[in-house]
Amino acid sequence: MQQYNYWGYGTNEPPAHLKSKKQLSEIGLAPANPVGFIDTKKYTLYLYDPDLLDSAKPKREPTPKQLENLKKGRAKSQYRAWYRNGGFVEEDRARTVGWARELLEKGTLILDTETTGLGNAEIVEIAIINHQGETLLNTLVQPTIEIPGEVIAIHGITNEMVRNAPSFPEIYPKIKEVLADNTIAIYNADADMGFLRYCCKLHGLKSLKLRDRTVDLMEYYACWYGEYSSYWRDYKWQPLNGGHRALSDCLAALEVLKEMAADDPQMRVPDFGC
């Protein structure tokens, strides 16, 4: 018989599907032979496996309804054990597949920008494509400041390249027109939306008010990719690998969206009958 630590104390916790006498009673079972125990200061808590006939048995001849409830109880117990032991990763992945398919079906747009840096940075390039990969907007943008050398080294957009490019106020009407009433998917949405807000404020333009229509593709892709950190209790963000130019990053983001939508979640989540 296996000895365990009490829940919350150490790492030797009992499996989620094991039941105490009280918990067995709630699903119509009676204790037979315990498979584990937890020693406390006042008593010993015995644990039983509802899936083993020699550990837990029906209290009496069950009715059809009791048998059905027992089946559901065992299914839920199996589900909880599966979920706790990493099943939540597969369930989250299945959820993102449905989300990705919905985005493609509704004709979501994809947006990306390149800038003069981080934080309060100005946009030096912006691209918008539709869910079929067609380019709706792709232009360099002339900022009011110089592009730092360390930033040029990342995206390759030089000050000479944007010298004669349109300013943000000049392309603002086109951005507003293309994005109107559409859902927008952005890889690392907080960053790009922050750049757009800053440029609007810098030039005294009305905010585009995109937050309620924007989804962060990076967060969903991290969830689908499934590299979960128990320490951070979250999924690790994955690089886009689009080349750090606005149009190529848009196309890379579209491929990520298509990759998720093409997955088959039914092959990953077991059916426990609950």
Side-chain angles (χ1 to χ4, degrees):
M1 185 166 34
Q2 179 68 44
Q3 181 174 4
Y4 297 101
N5 293 330
Y6 205 79
W7 292 272
Y9 292 86
T11 58
N12 187 32
E13 296 182 358
H17 72 286
L18 298 187
K19 305 293 184 184
S20 65
K21 290 182 180 180
K22 182 179 179 181
Q23 290 171 322
L24 284 180
S25 179
E26 291 173 351
I27 58 174
L29 293 177
N33 299 304
V35 296
F37 67 95
I38 299 172
D39 273 335
T40 70
K41 291 182 179 181
K42 295 183 178 181
Y43 59 90
T44 297
L45 177 66
Y46 289 101
L47 300 171
Y48 303 84
D49 189 337
D51 296 323
L52 298 177
L53 292 178
D54 59 350
S55 181
K57 58 184 180 181
K59 292 181 178 180
R60 53 185 177 275
E61 188 66 27
T63 65
K65 184 175 181 180
Q66 287 174 327
L67 286 173
E68 181 63 26
N69 289 338
L70 178 59
K71 180 181 177 182
K72 290 180 179 179
R74 285 177 171 166
K76 288 179 180 179
S77 177
Q78 291 173 340
Y79 168 78
R80 284 193 293 269
W82 170 81
Y83 187 89
R84 185 178 179 182
N85 292 310
F88 68 91
V89 175
E90 297 296 346
E91 196 168 82
D92 287 347
R93 181 170 185 149
R95 192 176 298 111
T96 61
V97 171
W99 169 86
R101 291 174 179 175
E102 181 181 351
L103 283 185
L104 288 175
E105 288 173 2
K106 71 187 336 184
T108 299
L109 304 184
I110 297 176
L111 177 148
D112 189 78
T113 66
E114 302 300 331
T115 67
T116 58
L118 300 175
N120 291 333
E122 295 187 46
I123 293 172
V124 297
E125 186 175 52
I126 184 170
I128 304 171
I129 65 173
N130 63 20
H131 67 292
Q132 296 176 326
E134 298 169 336
T135 302
L136 306 181
L137 177 65
N138 180 33
T139 181
L140 292 168
V141 184
Q142 182 185 130
T144 63
I145 60 174
E146 293 287 298
I147 307 172
E150 62 270 20
V151 179
I152 294 174
I154 296 173
H155 55 48
I157 301 173
T158 66
N159 289 292
E160 290 73 22
M161 290 170 63
V162 298
R163 195 78 68 197
N164 297 315
S167 66
F168 186 80
E170 290 177 300
I171 65 168
Y172 172 83
K174 182 63 175 179
I175 296 174
K176 189 174 181 180
E177 175 190 344
V178 172
L179 297 181
D181 302 323
N182 286 299
T183 299
I184 307 109
I186 304 176
Y187 207 88
N188 193 7
D190 284 347
D192 290 87
M193 289 176 64
F195 300 142
L196 286 167
R197 284 195 301 269
Y198 177 72
C199 287
C200 287
K201 183 177 180 180
L202 178 67
H203 295 285
L205 300 169
K206 188 176 180 181
S207 172
L208 293 167
K209 296 182 179 180
L210 303 177
R211 179 163 297 279
D212 292 340
R213 297 187 283 123
T214 301
V215 292
D216 193 336
L217 189 55
M218 182 175 70
E219 292 186 359
Y220 280 94
Y221 185 63
C223 186
W224 178 85
Y225 197 88
E227 192 172 341
Y228 186 80
S229 168
S230 298
Y231 180 82
W232 295 108
R233 294 186 177 182
D234 203 354
Y235 294 98
K236 181 181 178 181
W237 293 343
Q238 302 299 320
L240 181 59
N241 298 321
H244 295 295
R245 289 299 297 267
L247 183 57
S248 63
D249 281 354
C250 281
L251 293 170
L254 177 59
E255 288 307 307
V256 161
L257 187 59
K258 288 180 177 180
E259 182 182 8
M260 288 190 288
D263 197 3
D264 184 3
Q266 299 303 320
M267 297 297 291
R268 301 180 181 277
V269 181
D271 181 8
F272 295 104
C274 58

